[in-house]
Amino acid sequence: MSSHSNSKIELHKVGQSFVTNQHSVSLFSDLSFSIEQGRSYAITGPSGSGKSSLLMLASGLEQPFSGEVVYSYNGQIQPISHIRSEIGFIFQQFHLLPEFDALNNVALPLKLRGDKQALAIAKEWLEKVGLGHRLKHKPAQLSGGEQQRVAIARALVFNPKFIFADEPTGNLDAQSAGEIADLLFACCRDKGAGLVLVTHSDYLAQQAQQQLRFNAGECQWLSTELGSKCHA
């Protein structure tokens, strides 16, 4: 996707720590890499190794303890907050609005942009994720897997430049997981979105163009053209 190759999120020597029982625990430090539009990345590793924290930092939803995260376009550097409206995030906990039905949950990002076609586009996306028959159901009336698919449709409905997904297939059966994986990678490939996945699924991780493996405070790139190391 050469037309998007100059659009990227850059992490410069980022580190993240948290305090527990008055002790500071470092998840990772001095990590630098770029997330380019039109490329896919998978972050893998054991639970608690810092994968979700890295996802939150890279998307601008959290601030790093050290270093910085910026958006770069044609060499012009901007704060990551400048493209928040261009980032779709799929949370592990869904974060659907309980008072809204599936259709209005998915339409919300478009409504906030003033899109007059919000409901029609949301309906199309719910059909893409296999929920065309559940448009009027509220989250409490949906299974965990169905809620996950609503959350995925909501993250993709406005054609974001970057998609961040925390265990996007974690609540889905094998067939649904495969279909959702295909949808996410198609958005990356066909619409030129940058895609970053945190996943325990080897199947999903191996479809990404680049893999970042976290383990015991160290991380390494697998099957990647980039050379990058970080230390906790």
Side-chain angles (χ1 to χ4, degrees), residues 6-229:
N6 292 325
S7 175
K8 56 191 174 183
I9 293 172
E10 297 179 353
L11 288 76
H12 298 297
K13 293 183 176 294
V14 298
Q16 192 65 306
S17 303
F18 64 92
V19 176
T20 174
N21 299 327
Q22 283 72 55
H23 294 288
S24 179
V25 177
S26 177
L27 289 173
F28 50 84
S29 62
D30 206 30
L31 176 57
S32 299
F33 67 96
S34 296
I35 299 162
E36 297 181 16
Q37 243 190 290
R39 292 188 67 79
S40 56
Y41 307 78
I43 303 172
T44 63
S47 296
S49 56
K51 304 184 300 295
S52 293
S53 287
L54 179 57
L55 203 67
M56 297 290 276
L57 294 190
S59 63
L61 289 177
E62 285 185 3
Q63 295 296 312
F65 180 77
S66 58
E68 64 174 352
V69 180
V70 298
Y71 174 61
S72 171
Y73 183 69
N74 287 338
Q76 299 291 313
I77 303 297
Q78 298 177 324
I80 187 71
S81 58
H82 281 208
I83 60 153
R84 190 159 289 155
S85 64
E86 302 288 349
I87 290 174
F89 201 105
I90 300 164
F91 295 93
Q92 211 169 350
Q93 307 302 328
F94 316 137
H95 292 305
L96 301 176
L97 295 173
E99 68 274 22
F100 284 5
D101 59 22
L103 184 64
N104 280 285
N105 262 289
V106 174
L108 187 60
L110 294 174
K111 287 183 173 181
L112 292 173
R113 287 166 170 76
D115 191 327
K116 300 286 193 289
Q117 300 299 313
L119 291 173
I121 297 169
K123 182 173 182 285
E124 284 176 23
W125 273 98
L126 283 166
E127 288 167 352
K128 285 184 185 180
V129 298
L131 289 179
H133 61 302
R134 306 287 267 170
L135 303 180
K136 296 300 180 184
H137 291 70
K138 292 182 178 178
Q141 299 170 301
L142 301 172
S143 69
E146 287 171 333
Q147 290 182 57
Q148 178 74 301
R149 285 185 274 170
V150 173
I152 288 166
R154 181 185 58 187
L156 303 181
V157 72
F158 57 94
N159 289 327
K161 289 182 177 178
F162 296 93
I163 301 161
F164 292 87
D166 197 354
E167 296 287 356
T169 61
N171 288 279
L172 305 176
D173 60 74
Q175 181 179 338
S176 295
E179 292 168 357
I180 290 301
D182 290 346
L183 191 60
L184 289 168
F185 284 104
C187 280
C188 176
R189 185 180 61 248
D190 302 337
K191 298 187 182 296
L195 174 64
V196 188
L197 306 161
V198 163
T199 184
H200 281 102
S201 164
D202 288 338
Y203 169 74
L204 203 57
Q206 286 163 10
Q207 290 186 66
Q209 290 165 300
Q210 297 176 216
Q211 246 188 90
L212 181 62
R213 172 81 182 168
F214 271 45
N215 197 18
E218 297 283 329
C219 59
Q220 66 178 132
W221 287 105
L222 308 176
S223 61
T224 172
E225 309 94 327
L226 297 180
S228 180
K229 287 190 177 299

